[in-house]
Amino acid sequence: MSFRLAACAEMLYGELPLTERVKRIHEQGFEVELWDTRGRDIAALAATGARFSSMSGYFGGSLTDPASANEVLASAEKLIPVALELGIERMVVHPAELGEGGRAVRPVHRSTGEMWLTGARTLERLAALGEKHGVVFALENLNTVLDHPGIPLARAKDTLALVSAVNHPNVRMMLDLYHAQIGEGNLIELIRAALPWIGEIQVADVPGRCEPGTGEINYHVIASALGTAGYDGVVGLEAQAAGGAGLEAGDTALAAFRAAFES
């Protein structure tokens, strides 16, 4: 098995400033995932020498809402220069706008045909934008049971349907297995079905959203299935450390993550 391993700097080493978190993750041989880059010292992040795998790719609007889809495109275009400065490969988008705590800004509990069509058309526009600037927009699946209620078309099977319908190399899935386990399960078959459209994979254990080995998902088996399927891209740990925000807990979480995907 040969995966590129990354870790989300927003969820580990919480007692450190962001740039120091990035340095610590980088020094241990991992790539780095970021969330919202607005208000960050981009030059300082670039100076760490870290390789950045992904960042948030929009900050307003909903790609499934005709009234606000243009906001997704406009905010994505404003963020592209940051992605290019940091050498980021994937800009992450969601089916609808997330607010504080990941809650839906405009909760929707029933998907419509108009949402499907708008989502596909918005992704097509993002594909053209990504092709122009050399970045990939990655649509992330979410769970609506626990973390993101009111987000339409959030299941992995929905995001897969949208991405595969667009079928463009500059639009891919950010397949989050933590969210998929809570919302759908059947992870290995999901990986096999989604493989042609996966841009990156994110992991955390269930329950708790901590590192592999702290919950019910057998990530050693998942890693083997990924290798058998031929996946050799980025696997990112988007999880908090079970031991808390301290340095030792973060190091332990990264070691467990590495053990699950490199052994």
Side-chain angles (χ1 to χ4, degrees):
M1 295 181 292
S2 179
F3 310 117
R4 292 166 49 194
L5 300 183
C8 179
E10 314 282 355
M11 297 189 74
L12 295 171
Y13 303 119
E15 64 181 27
L16 296 176
L18 180 66
T19 302
E20 295 303 313
R21 298 182 211 175
V22 169
K23 287 180 181 177
R24 194 170 185 95
I25 293 169
H26 169 59
E27 287 167 357
Q28 295 181 71
F30 296 91
E31 298 180 30
V32 179
E33 296 181 348
L34 298 173
W35 288 347
D36 192 347
T37 53
R38 292 173 297 166
R40 307 291 198 184
D41 188 339
I42 303 304
L45 291 172
T48 63
R51 182 175 184 177
F52 296 93
S53 65
S54 64
M55 61 175 262
S56 180
Y58 77 118
F59 53 79
S62 167
L63 63 82
T64 59
D65 178 10
S68 64
N70 285 340
E71 295 178 40
V72 177
L73 272 294
S75 62
E77 194 153 19
K78 289 178 181 177
L79 290 170
I80 282 174
V82 174
L84 296 178
E85 183 175 351
L86 294 175
I88 285 173
E89 301 172 27
R90 281 164 295 282
M91 300 178 69
V92 181
V93 295
H94 301 108
E97 187 175 359
L98 305 183
E100 185 175 354
R103 300 287 169 168
V105 172
R106 291 172 289 274
V108 175
H109 298 285
R110 184 176 66 87
S111 300
T112 66
E114 184 179 45
M115 290 178 185
W116 280 101
L117 289 172
T118 304
R121 289 168 180 162
T122 308
L123 286 174
E124 288 172 349
R125 295 168 67 193
L126 285 172
L129 185 64
E131 185 174 21
K132 176 181 177 181
H133 294 283
V135 298
V136 172
F137 287 93
L139 180 63
E140 182 181 4
N141 62 293
L142 304 169
N143 81 79
T144 59
V145 176
L146 179 63
D147 297 293
H148 304 287
I151 300 294
L153 303 181
R155 296 171 299 178
K157 72 176 187 178
D158 297 331
T159 55
L160 172 57
L162 284 167
V163 170
S164 61
V166 173
N167 195 26
H168 192 286
N170 292 87
V171 168
R172 286 291 179 260
M173 283 186 73
M174 173 66 84
L175 178 57
D176 190 307
L177 297 181
Y178 161 80
H179 289 307
Q181 174 67 2
I182 292 173
E184 297 154 86
N186 201 20
L187 298 184
I188 291 176
E189 288 303 319
L190 172 60
I191 288 166
R192 291 170 178 161
L195 186 66
W197 293 280
I198 295 174
E200 186 169 331
I201 291 172
Q202 290 180 330
V203 302
D205 221 331
V206 178
R209 202 172 188 175
C210 296
E211 66 267 21
T214 58
E216 67 191 22
I217 303 176
N218 189 333
Y219 273 115
H220 291 281
V221 173
I222 295 294
S224 178
L226 284 169
T228 299
Y231 182 76
D232 60 359
V234 175
V235 178
L237 179 67
E238 192 182 44
Q240 59 195 351
L247 301 185
E248 183 177 352
D251 291 349
T252 298
L254 287 177
F257 173 48
R258 190 192 301 277
F261 284 91
E262 287 192 348
S263 59

